[in-house]
Amino acid sequence: MEKVKIAILGFGNVGTGVWKILKENKKEIMKRSNYEIEVAKILVKDINKKRDIAISKEILTDNIDDIINDESIKIVVELIGGRGEAKQYMIRAMKAKKHIVTANKLVIANWSDELFKIAEEEKVLFYYEASVAGGIPIIREINESLTANRIQQIIGIINGTTNYILSKMTNDGIGFEEALKEAQEKGYAEADPTSDVDGYDAVYKLAIMASLSFGTKINHDAIYREGIRSISSLDIEYAKKFGYTIKLLAIAKEENSKLELRVHPTLIPSNHPMANVNDVFNAIMIKGNAVGELMLYGRGAGDLPTGSAVVGDIISILRNNVKPADISEVSEESNFKEIKKPEENEAEFYIRLNVKDRAGVLGDTAKIFGENNVSIISMTQDVSREDDVPLAFITHKSTEKNIRNSLEKIKSLENVNRVESIIRIESFN
Amino acid sequence: MEKVKIAILGFGNVGTGVWKILKENKKEIMKRSNYEIEVAKILVKDINKKRDIAISKEILTDNIDDIINDESIKIVVELIGGRGEAKQYMIRAMKAKKHIVTANKLVIANWSDELFKIAEEEKVLFYYEASVAGGIPIIREINESLTANRIQQIIGIINGTTNYILSKMTNDGIGFEEALKEAQEKGYAEADPTSDVDGYDAVYKLAIMASLSFGTKINHDAIYREGIRSISSLDIEYAKKFGYTIKLLAIAKEENSKLELRVHPTLIPSNHPMANVNDVFNAIMIKGNAVGELMLYGRGAGDLPTGSAVVGDIISILRNNVKPADISEVSEESNFKEIKKPEENEAEFYIRLNVKDRAGVLGDTAKIFGENNVSIISMTQDVSREDDVPLAFITHKSTEKNIRNSLEKIKSLENVNRVESIIRIESFN
């Protein structure tokens, strides 16, 4: 059997996962790829660092040139992450005629067009399945399985950290800060959790999926973003009363060539399969005009799940598989699609006010909603304290503009203390 | 753009779905396949039959030779179903150097090795994504996305008819006969529902998935099979009390090169994502040694979802994609795997007895379970009637043999009227 040499850039969590899989499943991988894969070089920062994995020091290098200049290396697996070096190394490797596999969402979301163009010119393959949702093969799904469809919607739980936090808050009744601390102790959240908790991570992944699905390059800055810091235990409890569960969703919809792109906490019906996606699991629901609703559920991070996607890509290159769809290619076709402004978006809403328990407060509030074309489906009120009463509503579909206008006026009512929460609802229609 | 001619055999539900998709999504399909697809011929039984779809009569033929002998036709899409003609037509088409796309689970489950061998010899491609679970791209998942994994388990809800019936029984509290009647009225169940209700349909699909996943040809006759006719409203109610939902599962597991293969009604935890798979939806959970648990959820039947898989396969052929894995190929490698006998299988069990409400009946029953190494997790009893009392148990993991031995003795206890139900539990561990 022919041998093929590969190099891995970065030997952290995912890098060691890839190493383990190549070793543990060697027999299966040989059978499926028709090659014996040899990891010839691994780029690390510190060659002498103590590692859990027994690995010959000759394989390790701290000099990228050792890899770029080695003509026997055919595939470079980029697992450094981040923006700077990773991108430059991939470009240099492609110019040295090496195929690329990467798990780097930042680089793909920012410079996919530039990178794919170079791959095209250099006639090398560029795979990036692991850049979105770890072990879930969503890129292949969009690029190869759903080719018969016009994709209409993507709705995903694509950040494991926030899903863990919201699951804990929902199932154990604890608050955001406590749940975040737990996530940090378990290694699911960083010391600075901004990227996950404030929705940036989900925004990058949504930009990649939406670009592929709608055939137009989407700038991640154009995606509306709201994190989960302001979600309170009370919201979770009230959502449950109304029959909903709160999840951080990444949503992309196309209607009449207009796109709706947003990442925010969302109430979803508790009997929908996505409501049972708990802990660090991810799930992505795609709606195509032929296939209808299709959902993928699995582990969105971790050494072995993400490694599964990376090694799958290596095998695809060796099997000389189809070239993955090229974001830059589609964006050149002048099929520009307008992105709707947030205030044009329509959704059902969950709204929680804090009011004084006085006769007329519900009537006054309802009147203002009505005047702004917002109609109410249900209402719940907890009258345990007289001057500090939660009053929550579920509305019919309304524009965000009408909701904001209503609340502007409701806020100034004498018996309304505050608007505490405004959370969108997704009913998967 | 180059044109390619294809022929469709059979113009029923799926055939018209394929026609609609090729028309409706023409622009997208051209872009993705780089071909303009022309349906040159459609094989039908009766050319003069009145159809809902406007279609030129010149395209229709009732003579397969018109298709086999037409050298300009490059791909044949087999949607006749059944065993006899379908298989022969596919063989003849391959011998005339035409690629094949089929949705025929019966033919694949029975003669895949023969058909794949001919495809190999004739150097044509043979695709069959639509043969399992309609619009859910499970074949591609196993063949291409999960190549880095050793697959350990497949657990699926892969029959829409039975899932509809069980969902109705669970959500509306109606009995099996009434739910079946509703399914028949909606066109979800045949007049003779045997194939679905007794588990045969699921057995064929499981044989195909397990053959691919475990790299060994699995004879569908070797799969243990139990249908849903005996599930009563009382079982569904009791399952709910214990925190479970009843689903018809198709289960394939490999442990130490031994296979467990079975289709039967199963209690699954109500907070598992599969418990919310309702109505005619399908879902398949795969466990791989790298990716962990991965679930696909979607529509397992219907004109457009199944058509989505068929047209996806046509596009894959046109993009000159990787050859799908070949069941015959793997089976030749003498990697025979032993299939466990049902009595060796281990599971947790739900057991419902009908007893007389006498002191001691619980003690006597529990004693016999204990003597046979069956330990009980929980118990519930409904003492509304004195001599006709349901008594239900959930057991720890036990062999089927120990369960059967216990019940043989319990049955003969003076105060036990009958053993009403024995249903396995799947906890997804």
Side-chain angles (χ1 to χ4, degrees), chain B residues 2-285:
Chain B
E2 216 178 317
K3 247 192 194 173
V4 63
K5 288 189 183 177
I6 73 170
I8 300 174
L9 315 187
F11 205 51
N13 188 28
V14 180
T16 50
V18 168
W19 175 269
K20 283 182 205 162
I21 293 169
L22 288 173
K23 202 173 159 183
E24 171 75 16
N25 294 348
K26 188 170 184 169
K27 207 183 107 195
E28 286 80 5
I29 291 168
M30 275 173 67
K31 195 162 114 186
R32 291 164 191 167
S33 69
N34 276 315
Y35 281 93
E36 193 186 333
I37 298 171
E38 181 195 332
V39 180
K41 285 274 176 252
I42 300 174
L43 183 71
V44 294
K45 273 197 189 133
D46 177 4
I47 293 178
N48 297 312
K49 183 179 163 185
K50 219 174 125 63
R51 294 172 202 281
D52 293 336
I53 284 181
I55 192 162
S56 152
K57 268 202 182 164
E58 283 147 43
I59 294 180
L60 303 180
T61 176
D62 54 9
N63 183 356
I64 183 73
D65 293 336
D66 289 350
I67 290 166
I68 303 291
N69 298 332
D70 184 339
E71 280 184 19
S72 71
I73 291 173
K74 300 299 178 196
I75 300 173
V76 166
V77 180
E78 186 279 307
L79 303 171
I80 304 173
R83 292 158 196 264
E85 285 178 335
K87 182 190 165 198
Q88 290 314 315
Y89 291 171
M90 284 193 266
I91 292 175
R92 288 188 61 199
M94 285 193 282
K95 297 205 163 169
K97 303 292 177 197
K98 299 179 198 313
H99 303 296
I100 303 288
V101 173
T102 179
N104 194 321
K105 63 177 172 290
L106 270 175
V107 168
I108 299 291
N110 280 294
W111 300 289
S112 60
D113 31 9
E114 185 184 342
L115 290 164
F116 293 165
K117 203 169 153 231
I118 296 172
E120 189 92 38
E121 287 165 4
E122 302 294 340
K123 297 191 172 37
V124 295
L125 296 169
F126 192 105
Y127 275 75
Y128 52 98
E129 181 63 74
S131 67
V132 179
I136 300 177
I138 186 67
I139 303 293
R140 191 182 294 267
E141 192 79 14
I142 298 170
N143 278 346
E144 298 178 40
S145 297
L146 298 181
T147 46
N149 289 265
R150 189 178 315 136
I151 293 177
Q152 299 162 315
Q153 288 186 14
I154 309 167
I155 300 178
I157 297 170
I158 50 177
N159 180 273
T161 308
T162 47
N163 202 47
Y164 181 85
I165 292 171
L166 291 172
S167 298
K168 278 282 150 189
M169 290 173 71
T170 302
N171 300 329
D172 301 354
I174 59 177
F176 171 79
E177 290 300 338
E178 196 182 335
L180 170 61
K181 218 179 128 223
E182 261 194 60
Q184 285 168 326
E185 281 162 9
K186 293 210 166 189
Y188 296 151
E190 313 265 344
D192 173 5
T194 306
S195 162
D196 294 314
V197 164
D198 294 323
Y200 292 97
D201 174 81
V203 158
Y204 289 121
K205 294 168 179 168
L206 184 65
I208 296 173
M209 292 193 293
S211 295
L212 282 175
S213 301
F214 302 135
T216 181
K217 178 76 197 287
I218 284 158
N219 189 327
H220 55 81
D221 288 335
I223 297 174
Y224 175 80
R225 181 188 51 74
E226 219 177 88
I228 65 162
R229 286 187 202 264
S230 65
I231 301 297
S232 73
S233 304
L234 208 54
D235 292 322
I236 285 177
E237 186 192 319
Y238 275 47
K240 212 180 277 183
K241 267 191 203 173
F242 286 123
Y244 294 97
T245 303
I246 300 183
K247 295 287 178 189
L248 181 73
L249 293 193
I251 298 173
K253 298 183 180 184
E254 173 168 12
E255 214 174 342
N256 306 322
S257 290
K258 276 194 182 183
L259 300 182
E260 225 178 287
L261 298 162
R262 41 200 173 91
V263 168
H264 53 65
T266 317
L267 273 72
I268 64 175
S270 296
N271 64 357
H272 190 277
M274 276 208 162
N276 273 357
V277 175
N278 284 313
D279 300 330
V280 293
F281 277 91
N282 281 198
I284 300 161
M285 172 80 76

Side-chain angles (χ1 to χ4, degrees), chain A residues 141-159:
Chain A
E141 191 81 13
I142 298 170
N143 277 345
E144 298 179 40
S145 298
L146 298 181
T147 46
N149 289 264
R150 189 176 317 135
I151 293 177
Q152 299 162 316
Q153 287 185 12
I154 310 168
I155 299 178
I157 296 170
I158 51 178
N159 180 272

Side-chain angles (χ1 to χ4, degrees), chain A residues 24-25 28 32 137 140-141 143 145 147-150 289-290 293-298 304-305 308 319 321, chain B residues 24-25 28 32 137 140-141 143 145 147-150 289-290 293-298 304-305 308 319 321:
Chain A
E24 171 76 17
N25 294 348
E28 285 82 6
R32 291 164 191 166
R140 192 184 293 271
E141 191 81 13
N143 277 345
S145 298
T147 46
N149 289 264
R150 189 176 317 135
N289 71 339
E293 282 183 327
L294 187 68
M295 186 177 91
L296 280 81
Y297 162 96
L304 296 178
S308 165
R319 290 164 94 178
N321 209 327
Chain B
E24 171 75 16
N25 294 348
E28 286 80 5
R32 291 164 191 167
R140 191 182 294 267
E141 192 79 14
N143 278 346
S145 297
T147 46
N149 289 265
R150 189 178 315 136
N289 71 339
E293 282 182 328
L294 187 68
M295 186 176 93
L296 280 80
Y297 162 96
L304 296 178
S308 166
R319 290 165 92 178
N321 209 326

Side-chain angles (χ1 to χ4, degrees), chain A residues 193-207:
Chain A
T194 306
S195 162
D196 294 315
V197 164
D198 294 323
Y200 293 97
D201 174 82
V203 158
Y204 289 121
K205 294 168 179 168
L206 184 65

